[in-house]
Each structure stands twice: as C-alpha cells, then as structure tokens.
Amino acid sequence: MKKDLPALPGQTIRFISDLHLGHAKSAIRDVEQIRFLLEGCRILVICGDFSETREEDFLERAGKLRRDFETMCSEAGVELIILAGNHDPDEEHSVLTCLDGRIAALHGHCLFKQVSPWGREYLNNKALYKRTIREYKDADINLEHRMELARTIAKLVLPPTCPEDPAKVPTWKRSKPVRFFQHACWPPERPLQILRAWLMMRSRIKDFRKRFLPEAEVICYGHLHRRDIHFSQDKLYVNLGALFQYASGYAVEVKDFSLEVREVSADGWGQTAFRHTIRPLNE
C-alpha cells in the first residue's frame, strides 16, 4: 500500500497526476505529446488516474497508451511509479514517501470516504456506499484502512456499460448544451457537491496530513482536477490538477532538498509557479 523511496542524491523525482490515458476527455491523444515529462528526471511518479481501467468504453485505447508510455519510460531509463487512483484502483501502491517521509504523494480520492461525493455513482447509490463505509471502522485513524476503503469504494459500482446506440438517441439529446447539462448538472446535487469539494480541499488535505502523515512537510495530490498551491504553517500542499479538458496541471520536481512546482499541459512546460527548499534533517 505504501512505498518509501530511498535517497537519490543528485537525481530528480518528478510528480504529476490525472493523465487519464484513454479517456475521451483526456488532453493526451498520443504519448509522444508527453515525452517531455521524462526529460531530466530519474523517477516519474503518477499520483493516480494514470489510465482508465474501469470504464469499458476506454479500456482498449487506455491499455495501448499505457503500454506505449511504459515502453517510452523504459527506453529513456526513467523509473515509472504509478499510485492508485479511483480510475485505476488496482495499482499496488497508494501512498509514496521520500526524504525520510518529509515528502508524501497520493491521489487524493481518500480525502473523501465516498471517494467522489459529486459522482453519479455515489449520488445514485448512497445507501450502498454508506453501508460499505461503515464496515471500515478504523478509517479515521489507520492509514492502511483508509486507503483500502478508497480502493473498495472506487470498485464498488460496476463499470458503466457501452452507451446507447447514437442512432437511437433522439436528436435533441445529442446537442452539446443538453449533453453538457447532463454531465455537469445532473443529478441536481452534483454541481453543489463539486463546488463544496473545491472549497474544502485545502482543509481536507491539511487534516489528512495531520491524521495519517504527520511527518510530511510536502504533500502532492490530485483527484480534484483543480491545481492549487497552498503553503500553511511550514507545510506545502500541491494539488497537481490534471491533463484533462477544462483543467490544467502542475508538476513537482524534487532534487536533493530543492523543490520546484512547474505549470504543465499536454503542449509542454509552462512557467515555474513556486520554489521551495526542504531543510535537511540535521538542521
């Protein structure tokens, strides 16, 4: 469940999240677009939702893109570490730490016991979710149980089946405004839950660190597709965002005790957004 990286003097570790390879709304259509992510790093950590492993409509394309990217990493001599997210819950590791635990990375779906309280799966199956959550009585105090709960909830509802034959869908249902409304605003509770999650993400990640990773000085996470940098009480929290439609991303680079947060998209690197120095343990 948890993976600890040994010290790698002079080597760069890069963190990114939510590539969603294979998804219709991923910004990545071909892995050659993101070859630049491998340049200058020894280890690339994907903080969950690397590729689609649940929705059957995306499985074939996601599998091919994933294999292509793994080959690219191998050829470039870059170690690829994939953490479990709610779209790929079967990955072996859910949490990664390095620099003696002072840097921690995870997907972020574990911040919510429901994983995605704005998701249609939860909104349409609340009773089932609540029964499952009650089975994990130590999820508020035990990190392993909390991550197992996140894995179980992510796999709780069967993957969606293939959509109805477009030829059988009425014309009015195919219009972009109708499809946007169905995606973003139905059920009616959905947009309110999305806004609530965005407003609460800083307080939730701070509480999660205090409960489960108190030694961490830097937390890298994703899931919410809303990039953010938050520095509070000598602790740095970076939401890595996503390479997804209507979203933007950050990449965190760590080399020895220097940390840099850089803007990133499927088109390449943007500006440096933040720099930070991690104090050695003996100071």
mmCIF file with all atom_site columns, all heavy atoms in Angstrom, residues 53-74:
data_model
loop_
_atom_site.group_PDB
_atom_site.id
_atom_site.type_symbol
_atom_site.label_atom_id
_atom_site.label_alt_id
_atom_site.label_comp_id
_atom_site.label_asym_id
_atom_site.label_entity_id
_atom_site.label_seq_id
_atom_site.pdbx_PDB_ins_code
_atom_site.Cartn_x
_atom_site.Cartn_y
_atom_site.Cartn_z
_atom_site.occupancy
_atom_site.B_iso_or_equiv
_atom_site.pdbx_formal_charge
_atom_site.auth_seq_id
_atom_site.auth_comp_id
_atom_site.auth_asym_id
_atom_site.auth_atom_id
_atom_site.pdbx_PDB_model_num
ATOM 1   N N   . THR A 1 53 ? -9.000  2.169  -16.243 1.00 0.00 ? 53 THR A N   1
ATOM 2   C CA  . THR A 1 53 ? -9.062  0.721  -16.068 1.00 0.00 ? 53 THR A CA  1
ATOM 3   C C   . THR A 1 53 ? -10.450 0.241  -15.648 1.00 0.00 ? 53 THR A C   1
ATOM 4   O O   . THR A 1 53 ? -10.633 -0.940 -15.361 1.00 0.00 ? 53 THR A O   1
ATOM 5   C CB  . THR A 1 53 ? -8.050  0.246  -15.008 1.00 0.00 ? 53 THR A CB  1
ATOM 6   O OG1 . THR A 1 53 ? -8.423  0.751  -13.722 1.00 0.00 ? 53 THR A OG1 1
ATOM 7   C CG2 . THR A 1 53 ? -6.647  0.730  -15.334 1.00 0.00 ? 53 THR A CG2 1
ATOM 8   N N   . ARG A 1 54 ? -11.435 1.147  -15.625 1.00 0.00 ? 54 ARG A N   1
ATOM 9   C CA  . ARG A 1 54 ? -12.763 0.772  -15.143 1.00 0.00 ? 54 ARG A CA  1
ATOM 10  C C   . ARG A 1 54 ? -13.848 0.905  -16.206 1.00 0.00 ? 54 ARG A C   1
ATOM 11  O O   . ARG A 1 54 ? -14.733 0.057  -16.287 1.00 0.00 ? 54 ARG A O   1
ATOM 12  C CB  . ARG A 1 54 ? -13.137 1.645  -13.935 1.00 0.00 ? 54 ARG A CB  1
ATOM 13  C CG  . ARG A 1 54 ? -12.255 1.448  -12.715 1.00 0.00 ? 54 ARG A CG  1
ATOM 14  C CD  . ARG A 1 54 ? -12.621 0.186  -11.982 1.00 0.00 ? 54 ARG A CD  1
ATOM 15  N NE  . ARG A 1 54 ? -13.925 0.314  -11.328 1.00 0.00 ? 54 ARG A NE  1
ATOM 16  C CZ  . ARG A 1 54 ? -14.704 -0.713 -10.997 1.00 0.00 ? 54 ARG A CZ  1
ATOM 17  N NH1 . ARG A 1 54 ? -14.346 -1.938 -11.286 1.00 0.00 ? 54 ARG A NH1 1
ATOM 18  N NH2 . ARG A 1 54 ? -15.860 -0.517 -10.401 1.00 0.00 ? 54 ARG A NH2 1
ATOM 19  N N   . GLU A 1 55 ? -13.811 1.952  -16.998 1.00 0.00 ? 55 GLU A N   1
ATOM 20  C CA  . GLU A 1 55 ? -14.878 2.181  -17.970 1.00 0.00 ? 55 GLU A CA  1
ATOM 21  C C   . GLU A 1 55 ? -14.574 1.427  -19.262 1.00 0.00 ? 55 GLU A C   1
ATOM 22  O O   . GLU A 1 55 ? -13.590 1.713  -19.929 1.00 0.00 ? 55 GLU A O   1
ATOM 23  C CB  . GLU A 1 55 ? -15.057 3.676  -18.239 1.00 0.00 ? 55 GLU A CB  1
ATOM 24  C CG  . GLU A 1 55 ? -15.532 4.452  -17.022 1.00 0.00 ? 55 GLU A CG  1
ATOM 25  C CD  . GLU A 1 55 ? -16.023 5.841  -17.381 1.00 0.00 ? 55 GLU A CD  1
ATOM 26  O OE1 . GLU A 1 55 ? -16.762 5.960  -18.376 1.00 0.00 ? 55 GLU A OE1 1
ATOM 27  O OE2 . GLU A 1 55 ? -15.653 6.787  -16.678 1.00 0.00 ? 55 GLU A OE2 1
ATOM 28  N N   . GLU A 1 56 ? -15.425 0.486  -19.597 1.00 0.00 ? 56 GLU A N   1
ATOM 29  C CA  . GLU A 1 56 ? -15.126 -0.423 -20.698 1.00 0.00 ? 56 GLU A CA  1
ATOM 30  C C   . GLU A 1 56 ? -14.987 0.282  -22.042 1.00 0.00 ? 56 GLU A C   1
ATOM 31  O O   . GLU A 1 56 ? -14.287 -0.193 -22.935 1.00 0.00 ? 56 GLU A O   1
ATOM 32  C CB  . GLU A 1 56 ? -16.194 -1.514 -20.790 1.00 0.00 ? 56 GLU A CB  1
ATOM 33  C CG  . GLU A 1 56 ? -17.589 -1.024 -21.134 1.00 0.00 ? 56 GLU A CG  1
ATOM 34  C CD  . GLU A 1 56 ? -18.580 -2.184 -21.201 1.00 0.00 ? 56 GLU A CD  1
ATOM 35  O OE1 . GLU A 1 56 ? -18.582 -3.023 -20.297 1.00 0.00 ? 56 GLU A OE1 1
ATOM 36  O OE2 . GLU A 1 56 ? -19.351 -2.201 -22.169 1.00 0.00 ? 56 GLU A OE2 1
ATOM 37  N N   . ASP A 1 57 ? -15.634 1.428  -22.201 1.00 0.00 ? 57 ASP A N   1
ATOM 38  C CA  . ASP A 1 57 ? -15.512 2.161  -23.459 1.00 0.00 ? 57 ASP A CA  1
ATOM 39  C C   . ASP A 1 57 ? -14.075 2.608  -23.727 1.00 0.00 ? 57 ASP A C   1
ATOM 40  O O   . ASP A 1 57 ? -13.686 2.830  -24.878 1.00 0.00 ? 57 ASP A O   1
ATOM 41  C CB  . ASP A 1 57 ? -16.405 3.405  -23.450 1.00 0.00 ? 57 ASP A CB  1
ATOM 42  C CG  . ASP A 1 57 ? -17.877 3.064  -23.367 1.00 0.00 ? 57 ASP A CG  1
ATOM 43  O OD1 . ASP A 1 57 ? -18.204 1.869  -23.522 1.00 0.00 ? 57 ASP A OD1 1
ATOM 44  O OD2 . ASP A 1 57 ? -18.686 3.970  -23.143 1.00 0.00 ? 57 ASP A OD2 1
ATOM 45  N N   . PHE A 1 58 ? -13.272 2.760  -22.665 1.00 0.00 ? 58 PHE A N   1
ATOM 46  C CA  . PHE A 1 58 ? -11.937 3.327  -22.790 1.00 0.00 ? 58 PHE A CA  1
ATOM 47  C C   . PHE A 1 58 ? -10.817 2.300  -22.632 1.00 0.00 ? 58 PHE A C   1
ATOM 48  O O   . PHE A 1 58 ? -9.641  2.646  -22.797 1.00 0.00 ? 58 PHE A O   1
ATOM 49  C CB  . PHE A 1 58 ? -11.732 4.438  -21.751 1.00 0.00 ? 58 PHE A CB  1
ATOM 50  C CG  . PHE A 1 58 ? -12.786 5.507  -21.759 1.00 0.00 ? 58 PHE A CG  1
ATOM 51  C CD1 . PHE A 1 58 ? -13.265 6.029  -20.569 1.00 0.00 ? 58 PHE A CD1 1
ATOM 52  C CD2 . PHE A 1 58 ? -13.300 5.981  -22.950 1.00 0.00 ? 58 PHE A CD2 1
ATOM 53  C CE1 . PHE A 1 58 ? -14.241 7.033  -20.568 1.00 0.00 ? 58 PHE A CE1 1
ATOM 54  C CE2 . PHE A 1 58 ? -14.268 6.974  -22.964 1.00 0.00 ? 58 PHE A CE2 1
ATOM 55  C CZ  . PHE A 1 58 ? -14.743 7.502  -21.765 1.00 0.00 ? 58 PHE A CZ  1
ATOM 56  N N   . LEU A 1 59 ? -11.146 1.067  -22.280 1.00 0.00 ? 59 LEU A N   1
ATOM 57  C CA  . LEU A 1 59 ? -10.126 0.112  -21.859 1.00 0.00 ? 59 LEU A CA  1
ATOM 58  C C   . LEU A 1 59 ? -9.097  -0.186 -22.948 1.00 0.00 ? 59 LEU A C   1
ATOM 59  O O   . LEU A 1 59 ? -7.884  -0.204 -22.683 1.00 0.00 ? 59 LEU A O   1
ATOM 60  C CB  . LEU A 1 59 ? -10.779 -1.202 -21.408 1.00 0.00 ? 59 LEU A CB  1
ATOM 61  C CG  . LEU A 1 59 ? -11.609 -1.134 -20.126 1.00 0.00 ? 59 LEU A CG  1
ATOM 62  C CD1 . LEU A 1 59 ? -12.144 -2.515 -19.780 1.00 0.00 ? 59 LEU A CD1 1
ATOM 63  C CD2 . LEU A 1 59 ? -10.777 -0.583 -18.971 1.00 0.00 ? 59 LEU A CD2 1
ATOM 64  N N   . GLU A 1 60 ? -9.536  -0.434 -24.158 1.00 0.00 ? 60 GLU A N   1
ATOM 65  C CA  . GLU A 1 60 ? -8.606  -0.823 -25.218 1.00 0.00 ? 60 GLU A CA  1
ATOM 66  C C   . GLU A 1 60 ? -7.619  0.294  -25.523 1.00 0.00 ? 60 GLU A C   1
ATOM 67  O O   . GLU A 1 60 ? -6.403  0.068  -25.576 1.00 0.00 ? 60 GLU A O   1
ATOM 68  C CB  . GLU A 1 60 ? -9.381  -1.198 -26.487 1.00 0.00 ? 60 GLU A CB  1
ATOM 69  C CG  . GLU A 1 60 ? -8.482  -1.684 -27.618 1.00 0.00 ? 60 GLU A CG  1
ATOM 70  C CD  . GLU A 1 60 ? -9.264  -2.132 -28.844 1.00 0.00 ? 60 GLU A CD  1
ATOM 71  O OE1 . GLU A 1 60 ? -10.516 -2.167 -28.786 1.00 0.00 ? 60 GLU A OE1 1
ATOM 72  O OE2 . GLU A 1 60 ? -8.615  -2.441 -29.861 1.00 0.00 ? 60 GLU A OE2 1
ATOM 73  N N   . ARG A 1 61 ? -8.128  1.499  -25.705 1.00 0.00 ? 61 ARG A N   1
ATOM 74  C CA  . ARG A 1 61 ? -7.241  2.626  -26.018 1.00 0.00 ? 61 ARG A CA  1
ATOM 75  C C   . ARG A 1 61 ? -6.328  2.944  -24.827 1.00 0.00 ? 61 ARG A C   1
ATOM 76  O O   . ARG A 1 61 ? -5.143  3.214  -25.010 1.00 0.00 ? 61 ARG A O   1
ATOM 77  C CB  . ARG A 1 61 ? -8.069  3.848  -26.397 1.00 0.00 ? 61 ARG A CB  1
ATOM 78  C CG  . ARG A 1 61 ? -7.222  5.081  -26.654 1.00 0.00 ? 61 ARG A CG  1
ATOM 79  C CD  . ARG A 1 61 ? -8.010  6.216  -27.275 1.00 0.00 ? 61 ARG A CD  1
ATOM 80  N NE  . ARG A 1 61 ? -7.200  7.404  -27.399 1.00 0.00 ? 61 ARG A NE  1
ATOM 81  C CZ  . ARG A 1 61 ? -6.260  7.586  -28.332 1.00 0.00 ? 61 ARG A CZ  1
ATOM 82  N NH1 . ARG A 1 61 ? -6.028  6.634  -29.211 1.00 0.00 ? 61 ARG A NH1 1
ATOM 83  N NH2 . ARG A 1 61 ? -5.553  8.701  -28.385 1.00 0.00 ? 61 ARG A NH2 1
ATOM 84  N N   . ALA A 1 62 ? -6.895  2.895  -23.622 1.00 0.00 ? 62 ALA A N   1
ATOM 85  C CA  . ALA A 1 62 ? -6.096  3.180  -22.432 1.00 0.00 ? 62 ALA A CA  1
ATOM 86  C C   . ALA A 1 62 ? -4.960  2.177  -22.286 1.00 0.00 ? 62 ALA A C   1
ATOM 87  O O   . ALA A 1 62 ? -3.823  2.547  -21.953 1.00 0.00 ? 62 ALA A O   1
ATOM 88  C CB  . ALA A 1 62 ? -6.984  3.151  -21.192 1.00 0.00 ? 62 ALA A CB  1
ATOM 89  N N   . GLY A 1 63 ? -5.245  0.903  -22.540 1.00 0.00 ? 63 GLY A N   1
ATOM 90  C CA  . GLY A 1 63 ? -4.213  -0.115 -22.432 1.00 0.00 ? 63 GLY A CA  1
ATOM 91  C C   . GLY A 1 63 ? -3.073  0.107  -23.402 1.00 0.00 ? 63 GLY A C   1
ATOM 92  O O   . GLY A 1 63 ? -1.894  -0.050 -23.055 1.00 0.00 ? 63 GLY A O   1
ATOM 93  N N   . LYS A 1 64 ? -3.398  0.474  -24.623 1.00 0.00 ? 64 LYS A N   1
ATOM 94  C CA  . LYS A 1 64 ? -2.359  0.717  -25.628 1.00 0.00 ? 64 LYS A CA  1
ATOM 95  C C   . LYS A 1 64 ? -1.502  1.922  -25.249 1.00 0.00 ? 64 LYS A C   1
ATOM 96  O O   . LYS A 1 64 ? -0.262  1.871  -25.323 1.00 0.00 ? 64 LYS A O   1
ATOM 97  C CB  . LYS A 1 64 ? -2.982  0.944  -26.999 1.00 0.00 ? 64 LYS A CB  1
ATOM 98  C CG  . LYS A 1 64 ? -1.941  1.200  -28.100 1.00 0.00 ? 64 LYS A CG  1
ATOM 99  C CD  . LYS A 1 64 ? -2.578  1.497  -29.432 1.00 0.00 ? 64 LYS A CD  1
ATOM 100 C CE  . LYS A 1 64 ? -1.506  1.650  -30.533 1.00 0.00 ? 64 LYS A CE  1
ATOM 101 N NZ  . LYS A 1 64 ? -0.462  2.643  -30.178 1.00 0.00 ? 64 LYS A NZ  1
ATOM 102 N N   . LEU A 1 65 ? -2.155  3.023  -24.852 1.00 0.00 ? 65 LEU A N   1
ATOM 103 C CA  . LEU A 1 65 ? -1.404  4.218  -24.492 1.00 0.00 ? 65 LEU A CA  1
ATOM 104 C C   . LEU A 1 65 ? -0.513  3.953  -23.271 1.00 0.00 ? 65 LEU A C   1
ATOM 105 O O   . LEU A 1 65 ? 0.629   4.425  -23.207 1.00 0.00 ? 65 LEU A O   1
ATOM 106 C CB  . LEU A 1 65 ? -2.359  5.373  -24.199 1.00 0.00 ? 65 LEU A CB  1
ATOM 107 C CG  . LEU A 1 65 ? -3.092  5.956  -25.413 1.00 0.00 ? 65 LEU A CG  1
ATOM 108 C CD1 . LEU A 1 65 ? -4.143  6.960  -24.968 1.00 0.00 ? 65 LEU A CD1 1
ATOM 109 C CD2 . LEU A 1 65 ? -2.113  6.605  -26.388 1.00 0.00 ? 65 LEU A CD2 1
ATOM 110 N N   . ARG A 1 66 ? -1.038  3.202  -22.337 1.00 0.00 ? 66 ARG A N   1
ATOM 111 C CA  . ARG A 1 66 ? -0.244  2.879  -21.150 1.00 0.00 ? 66 ARG A CA  1
ATOM 112 C C   . ARG A 1 66 ? 0.991   2.060  -21.532 1.00 0.00 ? 66 ARG A C   1
ATOM 113 O O   . ARG A 1 66 ? 2.101   2.360  -21.092 1.00 0.00 ? 66 ARG A O   1
ATOM 114 C CB  . ARG A 1 66 ? -1.098  2.114  -20.140 1.00 0.00 ? 66 ARG A CB  1
ATOM 115 C CG  . ARG A 1 66 ? -0.307  1.662  -18.912 1.00 0.00 ? 66 ARG A CG  1
ATOM 116 C CD  . ARG A 1 66 ? -1.197  0.916  -17.943 1.00 0.00 ? 66 ARG A CD  1
ATOM 117 N NE  . ARG A 1 66 ? -0.401  0.406  -16.834 1.00 0.00 ? 66 ARG A NE  1
ATOM 118 C CZ  . ARG A 1 66 ? -0.690  0.580  -15.552 1.00 0.00 ? 66 ARG A CZ  1
ATOM 119 N NH1 . ARG A 1 66 ? -1.761  1.266  -15.218 1.00 0.00 ? 66 ARG A NH1 1
ATOM 120 N NH2 . ARG A 1 66 ? 0.074   0.073  -14.606 1.00 0.00 ? 66 ARG A NH2 1
ATOM 121 N N   . ARG A 1 67 ? 0.813   1.041  -22.337 1.00 0.00 ? 67 ARG A N   1
ATOM 122 C CA  . ARG A 1 67 ? 1.960   0.221  -22.755 1.00 0.00 ? 67 ARG A CA  1
ATOM 123 C C   . ARG A 1 67 ? 2.975   1.054  -23.526 1.00 0.00 ? 67 ARG A C   1
ATOM 124 O O   . ARG A 1 67 ? 4.195   0.907  -23.330 1.00 0.00 ? 67 ARG A O   1
ATOM 125 C CB  . ARG A 1 67 ? 1.471   -0.960 -23.600 1.00 0.00 ? 67 ARG A CB  1
ATOM 126 C CG  . ARG A 1 67 ? 0.678   -2.006 -22.826 1.00 0.00 ? 67 ARG A CG  1
ATOM 127 C CD  . ARG A 1 67 ? 0.421   -3.237 -23.661 1.00 0.00 ? 67 ARG A CD  1
ATOM 128 N NE  . ARG A 1 67 ? -0.410  -2.975 -24.828 1.00 0.00 ? 67 ARG A NE  1
ATOM 129 C CZ  . ARG A 1 67 ? -1.738  -3.006 -24.817 1.00 0.00 ? 67 ARG A CZ  1
ATOM 130 N NH1 . ARG A 1 67 ? -2.393  -3.285 -23.707 1.00 0.00 ? 67 ARG A NH1 1
ATOM 131 N NH2 . ARG A 1 67 ? -2.421  -2.774 -25.930 1.00 0.00 ? 67 ARG A NH2 1
ATOM 132 N N   . ASP A 1 68 ? 2.493   1.931  -24.385 1.00 0.00 ? 68 ASP A N   1
ATOM 133 C CA  . ASP A 1 68 ? 3.397   2.793  -25.150 1.00 0.00 ? 68 ASP A CA  1
ATOM 134 C C   . ASP A 1 68 ? 4.210   3.694  -24.226 1.00 0.00 ? 68 ASP A C   1
ATOM 135 O O   . ASP A 1 68 ? 5.420   3.899  -24.438 1.00 0.00 ? 68 ASP A O   1
ATOM 136 C CB  . ASP A 1 68 ? 2.607   3.653  -26.140 1.00 0.00 ? 68 ASP A CB  1
ATOM 137 C CG  . ASP A 1 68 ? 2.032   2.852  -27.295 1.00 0.00 ? 68 ASP A CG  1
ATOM 138 O OD1 . ASP A 1 68 ? 2.437   1.694  -27.479 1.00 0.00 ? 68 ASP A OD1 1
ATOM 139 O OD2 . ASP A 1 68 ? 1.165   3.400  -28.005 1.00 0.00 ? 68 ASP A OD2 1
ATOM 140 N N   . PHE A 1 69 ? 3.561   4.231  -23.201 1.00 0.00 ? 69 PHE A N   1
ATOM 141 C CA  . PHE A 1 69 ? 4.264   5.138  -22.296 1.00 0.00 ? 69 PHE A CA  1
ATOM 142 C C   . PHE A 1 69 ? 5.252   4.369  -21.425 1.00 0.00 ? 69 PHE A C   1
ATOM 143 O O   . PHE A 1 69 ? 6.361   4.844  -21.155 1.00 0.00 ? 69 PHE A O   1
ATOM 144 C CB  . PHE A 1 69 ? 3.268   5.903  -21.423 1.00 0.00 ? 69 PHE A CB  1
ATOM 145 C CG  . PHE A 1 69 ? 3.889   7.036  -20.663 1.00 0.00 ? 69 PHE A CG  1
ATOM 146 C CD1 . PHE A 1 69 ? 4.333   8.173  -21.320 1.00 0.00 ? 69 PHE A CD1 1
ATOM 147 C CD2 . PHE A 1 69 ? 4.047   6.972  -19.292 1.00 0.00 ? 69 PHE A CD2 1
ATOM 148 C CE1 . PHE A 1 69 ? 4.922   9.220  -20.630 1.00 0.00 ? 69 PHE A CE1 1
ATOM 149 C CE2 . PHE A 1 69 ? 4.631   8.010  -18.584 1.00 0.00 ? 69 PHE A CE2 1
ATOM 150 C CZ  . PHE A 1 69 ? 5.070   9.140  -19.253 1.00 0.00 ? 69 PHE A CZ  1
ATOM 151 N N   . GLU A 1 70 ? 4.880   3.191  -20.980 1.00 0.00 ? 70 GLU A N   1
ATOM 152 C CA  . GLU A 1 70 ? 5.805   2.373  -20.186 1.00 0.00 ? 70 GLU A CA  1
ATOM 153 C C   . GLU A 1 70 ? 7.049   2.025  -20.998 1.00 0.00 ? 70 GLU A C   1
ATOM 154 O O   . GLU A 1 70 ? 8.173   2.048  -20.466 1.00 0.00 ? 70 GLU A O   1
ATOM 155 C CB  . GLU A 1 70 ? 5.088   1.104  -19.726 1.00 0.00 ? 70 GLU A CB  1
ATOM 156 C CG  . GLU A 1 70 ? 4.038   1.343  -18.651 1.00 0.00 ? 70 GLU A CG  1
ATOM 157 C CD  . GLU A 1 70 ? 3.226   0.112  -18.324 1.00 0.00 ? 70 GLU A CD  1
ATOM 158 O OE1 . GLU A 1 70 ? 3.185   -0.821 -19.165 1.00 0.00 ? 70 GLU A OE1 1
ATOM 159 O OE2 . GLU A 1 70 ? 2.621   0.071  -17.233 1.00 0.00 ? 70 GLU A OE2 1
ATOM 160 N N   . THR A 1 71 ? 6.856   1.713  -22.268 1.00 0.00 ? 71 THR A N   1
ATOM 161 C CA  . THR A 1 71 ? 8.000   1.433  -23.146 1.00 0.00 ? 71 THR A CA  1
ATOM 162 C C   . THR A 1 71 ? 8.876   2.670  -23.289 1.00 0.00 ? 71 THR A C   1
ATOM 163 O O   . THR A 1 71 ? 10.113  2.593  -23.235 1.00 0.00 ? 71 THR A O   1
ATOM 164 C CB  . THR A 1 71 ? 7.512   0.977  -24.527 1.00 0.00 ? 71 THR A CB  1
ATOM 165 O OG1 . THR A 1 71 ? 6.767   -0.243 -24.384 1.00 0.00 ? 71 THR A OG1 1
ATOM 166 C CG2 . THR A 1 71 ? 8.677   0.750  -25.473 1.00 0.00 ? 71 THR A CG2 1
ATOM 167 N N   . MET A 1 72 ? 8.241   3.826  -23.462 1.00 0.00 ? 72 MET A N   1
ATOM 168 C CA  . MET A 1 72 ? 8.983   5.078  -23.596 1.00 0.00 ? 72 MET A CA  1
ATOM 169 C C   . MET A 1 72 ? 9.828   5.342  -22.351 1.00 0.00 ? 72 MET A C   1
ATOM 170 O O   . MET A 1 72 ? 10.999  5.740  -22.451 1.00 0.00 ? 72 MET A O   1
ATOM 171 C CB  . MET A 1 72 ? 7.988   6.225  -23.827 1.00 0.00 ? 72 MET A CB  1
ATOM 172 C CG  . MET A 1 72 ? 8.625   7.568  -24.075 1.00 0.00 ? 72 MET A CG  1
ATOM 173 S SD  . MET A 1 72 ? 7.384   8.879  -24.227 1.00 0.00 ? 72 MET A SD  1
ATOM 174 C CE  . MET A 1 72 ? 6.573   8.382  -25.752 1.00 0.00 ? 72 MET A CE  1
ATOM 175 N N   . CYS A 1 73 ? 9.252   5.112  -21.176 1.00 0.00 ? 73 CYS A N   1
ATOM 176 C CA  . CYS A 1 73 ? 9.990   5.320  -19.925 1.00 0.00 ? 73 CYS A CA  1
ATOM 177 C C   . CYS A 1 73 ? 11.168  4.362  -19.824 1.00 0.00 ? 73 CYS A C   1
ATOM 178 O O   . CYS A 1 73 ? 12.288  4.763  -19.450 1.00 0.00 ? 73 CYS A O   1
ATOM 179 C CB  . CYS A 1 73 ? 9.064   5.120  -18.727 1.00 0.00 ? 73 CYS A CB  1
ATOM 180 S SG  . CYS A 1 73 ? 7.825   6.414  -18.511 1.00 0.00 ? 73 CYS A SG  1
ATOM 181 N N   . SER A 1 74 ? 10.930  3.098  -20.163 1.00 0.00 ? 74 SER A N   1
ATOM 182 C CA  . SER A 1 74 ? 11.992  2.103  -20.092 1.00 0.00 ? 74 SER A CA  1
ATOM 183 C C   . SER A 1 74 ? 13.146  2.473  -21.016 1.00 0.00 ? 74 SER A C   1
ATOM 184 O O   . SER A 1 74 ? 14.325  2.397  -20.627 1.00 0.00 ? 74 SER A O   1
ATOM 185 C CB  . SER A 1 74 ? 11.434  0.731  -20.464 1.00 0.00 ? 74 SER A CB  1
ATOM 186 O OG  . SER A 1 74 ? 12.437  -0.252 -20.452 1.00 0.00 ? 74 SER A OG  1
#
